[in-house]
Amino acid sequence: MFTETASGARPARPTLTQLLDELRPGDTLVVWKLDRLGRSLRHLVDTVTGLADRGIGFRSLQEAIDTTTPGGKLIFHVFAALAEFERDLIRERTTAGLAAARARGRHGGRPSVLNRHKLQVAQEMYRSGQYTVAAIATTLGVSRASIYRRLTRSGHRRVG
């Protein structure tokens, strides 16, 4: 018998890891409730599928699911289908949200370290020919890669 004291939402659960390592083909993992095993429906499905692949049964007392029986397997496959459906919905919503944001002129990602003023200074320093890209980067407090990236975008030829 194993007792987990860590929250099911925590990614590192050493007791669960130890339990899963000790299970052998023909064993059945019994839990009080489904939420004791998985952080999410997807995690639960992955864990139980991994057990099944290793020849290990799964049983939840509260929900009366037993994957060693045909009915229990059916219920669990329904859960797996729901998890896949949920992932697809999330993907569709994310794609639609990103498209709507782009239509409003918003672009995702981290803001550039080179604001308009710094970019203008970088371009002037570069055009003068007196400064290396490394010197420009040091002066502006950014990386050389940022300077190269922005100068390339603004039409300057890349230098080696």
Side-chain angles (χ1 to χ4, degrees):
M1 179 174 295
F2 289 82
T3 304
E4 180 77 73
T5 55
S7 164
R10 294 188 65 198
R13 296 173 58 194
T15 306
L16 176 61
T17 303
Q18 179 186 0
L19 165 66
L20 295 175
D21 288 344
E22 289 191 22
L23 291 170
R24 300 291 171 244
D27 289 349
T28 299
L29 173 60
V30 179
V31 296
W32 170 244
K33 284 183 75 171
L34 284 175
D35 65 355
R36 300 292 81 211
L37 182 61
R39 296 185 306 269
S40 64
L41 183 56
R42 179 74 244 155
H43 181 252
L44 179 65
V45 168
D46 289 345
T47 303
V48 175
T49 301
L51 291 173
D53 291 346
R54 293 171 45 200
I56 299 167
F58 172 75
R59 190 166 171 218
S60 172
L61 300 176
Q62 193 71 27
E63 290 83 9
I65 295 173
D66 185 351
T67 63
T68 62
T69 68
K73 285 180 185 174
L74 172 66
I75 295 296
F76 201 76
H77 284 292
V78 169
F79 278 176
L82 287 173
E84 186 174 346
F85 177 67
E86 178 185 33
R87 274 194 323 277
D88 290 344
L89 282 178
I90 291 169
R91 188 178 307 116
E92 283 179 13
R93 287 185 194 131
T94 301
T95 303
L98 290 171
R102 275 192 295 277
R104 291 190 310 269
R106 302 285 308 216
H107 298 281
R110 186 176 179 171
S112 175
V113 295
L114 282 175
N115 57 30
R116 254 187 225 138
H117 175 69
K118 283 185 176 182
L119 178 59
Q120 187 176 10
V121 170
Q123 289 170 335
E124 289 171 11
M125 290 175 77
Y126 183 76
R127 264 184 267 158
S128 76
Q130 296 176 330
Y131 303 95
T132 65
V133 171
I136 297 170
T138 302
T139 302
L140 297 177
V142 298
S143 71
R144 288 180 318 174
S146 294
I147 299 293
Y148 279 121
R149 190 178 314 111
R150 293 303 297 267
L151 289 178
T152 302
R153 274 193 218 149
S154 17
H156 294 281
R157 281 189 41 212
R158 190 170 171 137
V159 293

